[in-house]
Amino acid sequence: MKDAYINAKILDPKKNKEFIGDIIVEKDKIIDVGPNVYKKDKPKSYTNVHDCKNLFISPGLLDIRVSLGEPGSEHKESIKSGCKAAFAGGVTTVVCLPNTDPVIDNVSVAEYIQKRAKEVSKINLYTYGSLTKNFDGKNLCEMGLLSKAGVKGFTDATKSIENSAVLKRALEYSKAFDSLIIQFPEDKNLASDGVMNEGEISTRLGLAGIPSIAEVITIERDLRLVEATGAKYHVSCVSTAESVEVIRNAKKKGLKVTCDTSPQYFTLNEMAIEDYRTFVKISPPLRSEKDRVAIVNGLKDGTIDAIQSDHSPQDEDNKRLPFNHAEKGIIGLETLLPLSLELYHNKSLSLLDVIKKLTKNPADILNLEHGTLSKGSKADLLIFDPNKPFVIDVKKFKSKSKNSPFDKKPSQGKVIKTICSGEVSYAA
Amino acid sequence: MKPLKDSKRALLKSHLLSVEDLSIPEIDILLNKANFYADANKQRGKLEKTLKGSTVITLFFETSTRTKTSFELAAKRLGADSIGINASASAIKKGETLIDTAMTLNAMHADILIVRHPDSGAVKLLSEKVNCAIINAGDGTHEHPTQALLDALTIKRNKKNIKGLNIAICGDVLHSRVARSNILLLSKLGARIRIIAPPTLIPKGIENLGVEIFNNMEKGLVDCDIVMMLRLQTERMKGLYVPSTREYFKFYGLNYEKLRNAKKDALIMHPGPMNRGIEIDSSLADNLDRSVIHQQVEIGVAVRMACLEMLTVGIDK
């Protein structure tokens, strides 16, 4: 019962190597990988042989910031539809935000979601827990119990942790369980009722702006607390030039800080709002071109460790509203790979580096065993063609919601097959 | 602007949503027509009823007296049937979405819909869903194109030429759609625009629209031909933009003393409604030698007649 994927261009982010070779899978494990390993055994001993000539194989992608609507908003996305969308996007490991209804702030909700995921999909699904009970910003969740139940980190999802004392306690307490605290940085008072980036465009459109300092001000405060406590801290959705700068310096100083961003922040800027396009209303908002360039540079020099999709399903009724009232968010599972590959195509990053930010790096941040092609690891593979041109078409998306501003966008880089636990979970 | 050969329509656009979309030839056509109506309105009963048989609906999601009345009067003078919907009290409160409202109105076959809405961009959204012409009568803090057009015509009738004038727009620019439309329109027409306001009431990046910024009113008014005051929109104030109206009047309220810094023949304008004693001295507002506030209202009707006509002529019924 062995499957062989042969003649592929293999991208191994853990060994930092790119080579032509074969991957041998038995049941749900990779049992061998390397040049010519296929020939070690007789052809008859393989059940299936997939010739992957001219295609690339990398570990299945990890998406560490995904909102699923179950429980609570199943009409926007269920665990089942979300997992299908993930596979279609080449993602084999999903980490969900706790912004469900009820919130993942106790063991039973966390266990329920993990159980549901096992029933409907083979995907590796993990969740975060909320940092404070029901996102109240005051009372800490049971970090120890939740960690034991498999929760991978603590965050108030799309709410910034405002109270310095609460964050300080959380950082201190997290050390007992080696947990990761994840901040969504946005100063509530500065952001106020803003709906887009503050600047010339918001002035022209007459929309209330969120100043870009609302982000960095929170990160700077947090870094003081990280320094004082020595805890592990991760910043989600970095979107401004100042934030990149501040995190770069913190890393130089040796603080235990990591961060991520989403493709929208390096592929779009605030101009994409055009005439009040609510499909690009997101949080944090799209920033200026200067910020976009800084995000690309942050990815280049390693300041920004990982890329996630910030998959936020919204139904049409919540988007077809005046800009002020439209919901925030865009779906991203099925566009994560082609949009990230733009960094490769425009020569900002090597292909291996793009894949690292989608596999090994997020796995390391959350201490997950995924994102590797090493012998004995789980057979989660992505077979893709980074150069294949296609047009993004939301109608073909597996996701229940279609709120993507990238619809009709000519792109390059297509998922050919997604293999999860040794099984083909998606084939184009 | 190149007029379509097979059409008598003066505007290329089917809606009037913003000054930003208007070309200079289009603005000229609108202002010339409005100027004609401003004179014609003084001789009652001689107007051609060019909108006879058309239906004009005013749909106001915000309360308004002068703009709504002005549009309804303009429609009636041109012979249109006009109906007013006070939407702040109607279906919207019952949860009907803007798009549903548009669909309902669509089914009623109006020719022109005049819309005011508290959200920026809402009128544009509506325009994408209906098949009649739409006039933006003010959307959030975005634009109020007919106000800017009537201000431009008022200036033109008093000063002959707009090109080269120094125009100061003073006060709550941050929350003002009138200011945005006026900055865009008057600078297109060649005026030099200054903004006079405390830093907290100046929107970010406005200097990129080609305006000069002053935080000191005395300095800002030097050499001005037109002083355009804006209402301090206390109802839009969330948080502390100015510490008190008393302090505001002291530094940014227009009075005779501050006005001395402007040119001797400088005119005062205000889009109304005024807060007397907050942004403008009461007796100054009533001084007919300096203030053209009442002219603005009168010319407003003429400008709206021109807009209504330009959006409908040439449309085959």
Side-chain angles (χ1 to χ4, degrees):
Chain A
M1 283 298 285
K2 284 198 291 191
D3 282 358
Y5 299 87
I6 61 167
N7 300 323
K9 294 176 187 165
I10 294 171
L11 296 159
D12 188 339
K14 200 160 189 186
K15 297 209 175 87
N16 204 17
K17 273 199 308 197
E18 185 180 335
F19 57 92
I20 292 177
D22 317 321
I23 295 179
I24 314 298
V25 171
E26 187 166 11
K27 287 184 190 154
D28 62 345
K29 292 270 189 308
I30 296 172
I31 58 163
D32 207 352
V33 57
N36 298 318
V37 293
Y38 166 67
K39 291 193 178 136
K40 282 188 192 167
D41 215 335
K42 285 176 217 124
K44 265 196 229 161
S45 62
Y46 298 100
T47 326
N48 293 302
V49 178
H50 308 262
D51 188 356
C52 302
K53 199 166 193 302
N54 296 326
L55 295 176
F56 282 80
I57 299 186
S58 77
L61 308 183
L62 283 84
D63 192 344
I64 60 167
R65 190 173 172 90
V66 174
S67 295
L68 294 181
E70 188 174 345
S73 316
E74 290 82 353
H75 64 291
K76 293 181 182 170
E77 195 85 282
S78 64
I79 293 174
K80 196 173 176 182
S81 67
C83 291
K84 276 190 181 166
F87 282 145
V91 175
T92 53
T93 302
V94 158
V95 189
C96 302
L97 287 177
N99 55 352
T100 45
D101 183 13
V103 171
I104 309 177
D105 61 3
N106 61 72
V107 170
S108 55
V109 181
E111 283 179 344
Y112 165 78
I113 291 171
Q114 283 160 19
K115 191 170 143 267
R116 266 301 282 159
K118 283 208 182 80
E119 282 167 18
V120 300
S121 178
K122 290 212 120 183
I123 208 162
N124 311 301
L125 187 139
Y126 302 95
T127 72
Y128 297 114
S130 69
L131 185 78
T132 61
K133 281 184 187 134
N134 203 25
F135 301 144
D136 70 359
K138 290 180 203 138
N139 301 292
L140 295 185
C141 284
E142 296 163 325
M143 276 192 222
L145 292 174
L146 282 160
S147 296
K148 249 193 145 166
V151 158
K152 293 299 166 199
F154 296 90
T155 178
D156 277 1
T158 54
K159 269 175 87 178
S160 194
I161 302 143
E162 287 285 323
N163 186 319
S164 307
V166 169
L167 184 63
K168 179 168 176 279
R169 296 268 153 69
L171 287 165
E172 284 167 348
Y173 192 70
S174 71
K175 287 164 68 184
F177 308 99
D178 198 29
S179 304
L180 181 66
I181 305 294
I182 298 160
Q183 175 71 295
F184 175 80
E186 185 173 83
D187 185 287
K188 195 172 67 188
N189 293 309
L190 284 172
S192 185
D193 51 3
V195 293
M196 68 171 290
N197 188 43
E198 186 181 77
E200 183 191 338
I201 312 288
S202 68
T203 292
R204 280 183 184 273
L205 292 171
L207 293 172
I210 301 173
S212 63
I213 49 162
E215 183 172 303
V216 73
I217 226 165
T218 304
I219 298 175
E220 286 197 294
R221 178 212 53 182
D222 291 4
L223 289 172
R224 288 278 170 188
L225 294 171
V226 172
E227 198 172 0
T229 57
K232 284 203 295 187
Y233 168 82
H234 179 82
V235 188
S236 226
C237 298
V238 172
S239 73
T240 75
E242 293 83 1
S243 302
V244 175
E245 178 69 35
V246 163
I247 294 167
R248 184 179 288 133
N249 291 337
K251 284 187 163 185
K252 269 186 206 151
K253 241 173 150 180
L255 298 187
K256 280 188 235 169
V257 51
T258 50
C259 69
D260 64 48
T261 192
S262 307
Q264 39 273 34
Y265 302 110
F266 57 79
T267 56
L268 297 176
N269 63 29
E270 59 188 340
M271 302 288 279
I273 293 174
E274 292 171 7
D275 261 341
Y276 306 97
R277 283 175 71 210
T278 55
F279 274 41
V280 289
K281 182 175 175 184
I282 54 177
S283 178
L286 290 176
R287 305 285 187 185
S288 68
E289 176 60 13
K290 179 197 90 183
D291 293 307
R292 190 194 70 80
V293 171
I295 297 295
V296 174
N297 289 332
L299 286 160
K300 263 193 205 172
D301 71 9
T303 303
I304 302 175
D305 302 275
I307 303 171
Q308 37 76 6
S309 77
D310 200 13
H311 184 79
S312 311
Q314 293 294 350
D315 55 29
E316 273 203 15
D317 287 346
N318 284 318
K319 281 288 188 186
R320 301 234 183 269
L321 291 170
F323 202 88
N324 282 341
H325 301 292
E327 288 286 349
K328 296 165 190 162
I330 65 187
I331 49 167
L333 279 166
E334 289 166 85
T335 48
L336 180 63
L337 181 69
L339 295 174
S340 299
L341 285 174
E342 284 191 11
L343 294 166
Y344 159 64
H345 291 300
N346 63 28
K347 303 195 167 56
S348 299
L349 291 181
S350 71
L351 186 57
L352 190 59
D353 282 338
V354 173
I355 292 300
K356 262 190 212 165
K357 296 200 191 276
L358 293 164
T359 53
K360 178 189 177 284
N361 295 1
D364 289 350
I365 291 166
L366 297 179
N367 209 4
L368 300 173
E369 59 195 2
H370 308 288
T372 167
L373 294 175
S374 306
K375 253 189 224 182
S377 62
K378 208 158 160 275
D380 297 337
L381 309 176
L382 163 63
I383 304 175
F384 70 109
D385 179 349
N387 299 313
K388 188 170 176 143
F390 76 110
V391 175
I392 293 172
D393 181 0
V394 294
K395 284 197 230 84
K396 291 187 183 148
F397 280 9
K398 309 285 180 201
S399 184
K400 269 193 192 177
S401 293
K402 310 291 176 198
N403 53 308
S404 171
F406 299 107
D407 190 25
K408 309 273 184 326
K409 182 184 161 73
S411 287
Q412 230 179 321
K414 224 176 161 332
V415 176
I416 304 296
K417 261 184 200 145
T418 309
I419 288 130
C420 187
S421 294
E423 271 180 32
V424 177
S425 310
Y426 171 83
Chain B
M1 186 199 67
K2 275 180 276 166
L4 297 175
K5 272 184 190 147
D6 53 349
S7 158
K8 281 185 287 178
R9 278 175 72 191
L11 289 175
L12 276 179
K13 284 111 196 163
S14 43
H15 306 293
L16 178 56
L17 298 176
S18 65
V19 170
E20 198 152 25
D21 304 331
L22 287 177
S23 66
I24 292 173
E26 284 173 321
I27 294 164
D28 285 341
I29 290 169
L30 278 170
L31 292 182
N32 287 338
K33 192 78 198 174
N35 194 38
F36 162 78
Y37 279 127
D39 294 330
N41 275 344
K42 291 181 177 155
Q43 310 149 20
R44 289 284 148 80
K46 291 187 178 168
L47 281 174
E48 203 188 326
K49 304 287 186 199
T50 48
L51 257 67
K52 201 168 182 336
S54 321
T55 309
V56 173
I57 298 181
T58 55
L59 178 62
F60 276 55
F61 295 90
E62 262 182 0
T63 50
S64 153
T65 326
R66 66 185 67 211
T67 308
K68 192 162 184 265
T69 316
S70 178
F71 268 113
E72 285 173 357
L73 204 56
K76 289 212 162 94
R77 287 213 179 135
L78 292 172
D81 300 316
S82 75
I83 304 160
I85 302 175
N86 181 3
S88 51
S90 77
I92 302 305
K93 285 271 156 71
K94 297 174 199 151
E96 188 178 76
T97 67
L98 193 59
I99 290 172
D100 287 333
T101 309
M103 293 307 167
T104 310
L105 293 169
N106 235 358
M108 292 179 188
H109 303 293
D111 296 291
I112 300 186
L113 200 56
I114 294 152
V115 189
R116 169 170 288 188
H117 198 282
D119 292 315
S120 302
V123 180
K124 159 89 185 161
L125 177 66
L126 203 63
S127 75
E128 287 161 5
K129 305 289 165 188
V130 295
N131 42 30
C132 61
I134 290 209
I135 296 179
N136 179 4
D139 63 325
T141 51
H142 176 222
E143 280 224 43
H144 189 355
T146 58
Q147 178 71 41
L149 287 164
L150 76 87
D151 288 340
L153 186 57
T154 308
I155 296 170
K156 225 175 165 174
R157 282 170 74 94
N158 285 283
K159 296 273 179 194
K160 302 285 174 290
N161 237 324
I162 292 176
K163 203 170 176 182
L165 293 183
N166 290 321
I167 301 179
I169 301 178
C170 316
D172 188 1
V173 179
L174 183 64
H175 297 97
S176 175
R177 53 195 173 212
V178 174
R180 281 172 180 73
S181 287
N182 263 320
I183 291 168
L184 294 168
L185 182 68
L186 296 171
S187 47
K188 270 185 196 188
L189 296 176
R192 285 190 292 268
I193 314 287
R194 307 166 179 187
I195 297 291
I196 304 174
T200 46
L201 291 177
I202 296 175
K204 288 282 164 306
I206 193 136
E207 61 280 3
N208 296 342
L209 271 63
V211 301
E212 212 180 330
I213 295 170
F214 290 89
N215 297 133
N216 179 306
M217 196 167 193
E218 280 84 1
K219 284 183 189 155
L221 286 177
V222 171
D223 236 12
C224 271
D225 299 284
I226 303 286
V227 184
M228 198 179 273
M229 300 306 299
L230 298 171
R231 193 163 68 94
L232 186 66
Q233 303 205 2
T234 41
E235 81 274 13
R236 278 195 218 272
M237 291 282 177
K238 261 194 187 171
L240 302 162
Y241 291 95
V242 280
S244 73
T245 48
R246 186 173 68 167
E247 177 154 315
Y248 186 80
F249 184 68
K250 170 84 182 148
F251 293 98
Y252 297 99
L254 187 67
N255 56 17
Y256 282 102
E257 201 191 323
K258 293 197 192 95
L259 188 60
R260 266 198 285 276
N261 293 287
K263 280 190 186 160
K264 279 205 172 67
D265 59 348
L267 295 176
I268 301 164
M269 301 176 76
H270 194 299
M274 277 183 282
N275 293 311
R276 288 170 185 265
I278 294 177
E279 70 257 354
I280 190 162
D281 177 85
S282 195
S283 63
L284 188 55
D286 295 329
N287 180 343
L288 292 179
D289 293 335
R290 308 305 297 270
S291 154
V292 290
I293 296 169
H294 293 293
Q295 278 184 46
Q296 284 174 277
V297 179
E298 204 181 321
I299 288 171
V301 178
V303 162
R304 281 152 189 147
M305 288 167 80
C307 295
L308 288 170
E309 189 181 330
M310 290 302 173
L311 285 174
T312 46
V313 289
I315 295 178
D316 293 326
K317 287 273 162 60

